[in-house]
Amino acid sequence: MSRTISSARQLYIIIAVFLLALAASSILAVLVGGRILDRLVGNTDLESFDDYAAVIKYSEPIPKMTVTSSAGVVEIPIDGKINVVLPQYVNCPDVCHWESSIIVYLMKMLMDDGLIDEVAFVTIGTNPYYETLQDGVDYMNLVAGDLIDQGVFWIWVQEENYQDQKPIWEAFKIAVQPYCIMEDGTILDTVSEEEFLKLYEEQSCETYGVTHTAGFIVVDRDGYMRYFISPTDDGWKRGQDKVAEAIYNVITELLNS
């Protein structure tokens, strides 16, 4: 059940939601959260929240961008469709795969109701440091190859290097911070992209990863960012179908508006 919340508490909840979205993507997220909140909290309003997801309402145009994707060179947001945008990378330890599970639920719901042609799923790759576009293609086929064969539109957007990927992150308010954990347990979480690449090339770290915004960005058919859906801990791990339902509800609202 959705809950109504007083306007005095909305900003606090919105901030908490975005911190949760970051924390889900890495245990290191709280270390970079302060740098990221300024990018995320802006023209927003709390639409609803329950045990599984918080729905943040936006009203902000997304600039048209020509990008490299699994479907070739395309323009995003995809014209004439509701865009469900999610930040992911293939070697993510946790949240990216939960995101995939949620959108598979959502894809099936849309197919069952004859709405799948109205929606484009767009993954914005968050790890161009050592992953390739082909890695993303292989991942999509593993996760939802049968659904893609049935007509689901899901593309992976990734340029060859972080300099070209960065403007895409900025357009969709996606925060990305690479990190590495040394063999002695030292955490390097504020390294620049150049420093991170050097560490990776030298194989200086025991663990490499990326902290990034986690959740689902919904863009309407006119190219406006309308919603950010952030699952709760229960939503990520035990209520993935409920999160899919929350995204489905905002999609149908936009289709009927």
Side-chain angles (χ1 to χ4, degrees):
M1 179 184 297
S2 296
R3 302 169 190 162
T4 302
I5 196 74
S6 67
S7 58
R9 294 180 58 203
Q10 286 198 12
L11 180 60
Y12 171 81
I13 294 174
I14 288 169
I15 291 172
V17 164
F18 283 128
L19 284 173
L20 176 63
L22 288 162
S25 67
S26 168
I27 60 171
L28 303 175
V30 292
L31 301 177
V32 298
R35 298 195 295 274
I36 290 169
L37 278 176
D38 287 344
R39 188 181 308 173
L40 291 173
V41 178
N43 187 18
T44 64
D45 187 25
L46 184 66
E47 176 84 349
S48 66
F49 78 103
D50 59 25
D51 292 338
Y52 303 104
V55 178
I56 305 297
K57 196 168 187 177
Y58 267 86
S59 180
E60 187 164 332
I62 301 294
K64 271 288 186 184
M65 308 186 74
T66 300
V67 299
T68 304
S69 80
S70 55
V73 176
V74 300
E75 276 196 343
I76 57 171
I78 303 298
D79 273 336
K81 293 182 182 287
I82 304 296
N83 285 230
V84 177
V85 180
L86 52 159
Q88 292 183 295
Y89 71 105
V90 174
N91 289 307
C92 177
D94 42 42
V95 70
C96 304
H97 312 306
W98 297 335
E99 286 175 328
S100 294
S101 178
I102 289 166
I103 66 164
V104 166
Y105 275 112
L106 178 58
M107 290 170 179
K108 290 177 179 177
M109 293 171 67
L110 292 166
M111 290 185 76
D112 288 345
D113 289 350
L115 298 175
I116 197 62
D117 290 340
E118 305 289 343
V119 179
F121 293 89
V122 180
T123 286
I124 306 296
T126 58
N127 190 0
Y129 307 105
Y130 57 84
E131 291 184 354
T132 67
L133 180 58
Q134 186 60 50
D135 292 329
V137 172
D138 294 341
Y139 178 78
M140 288 191 304
N141 287 329
L142 180 65
V143 168
D146 57 335
L147 294 170
I148 294 170
D149 290 343
Q150 294 175 60
V152 170
F153 187 95
W154 183 13
I155 62 171
W156 195 285
V157 173
Q158 184 153 309
E159 304 294 345
E160 288 189 3
N161 55 65
Y162 73 86
Q163 292 100 329
D164 294 328
Q165 192 76 355
K166 206 167 186 177
I168 306 172
W169 297 334
E170 292 171 351
F172 287 91
K173 298 183 178 293
I174 296 168
V176 177
Q177 174 63 54
Y179 68 85
C180 81
I181 302 175
M182 309 291 283
E183 289 186 9
D184 64 1
T186 301
I187 299 173
L188 303 179
D189 68 297
T190 59
V191 293
S192 69
E193 289 88 349
E194 292 84 358
E195 290 169 333
F196 180 78
L197 282 172
K198 186 173 186 294
L199 289 165
Y200 182 76
E201 289 166 1
E202 295 172 351
Q203 292 296 292
S204 301
C205 301
E206 183 73 18
T207 302
Y208 300 87
V210 177
T211 297
H212 61 87
T213 306
F216 304 88
I217 299 159
V218 179
V219 180
D220 70 14
R221 289 173 291 191
D222 296 320
Y224 275 73
M225 179 178 174
R226 293 300 185 189
Y227 294 98
F228 178 81
I229 293 92
S230 176
T232 65
D233 189 58
D234 279 345
W236 283 122
K237 298 175 181 177
R238 288 174 287 279
Q240 295 171 351
D241 57 332
K242 302 295 186 183
V243 179
E245 185 177 342
I247 306 170
Y248 177 89
N249 288 340
V250 302
I251 289 172
T252 54
E253 178 185 321
L254 291 172
L255 288 173
N256 293 325
S257 63

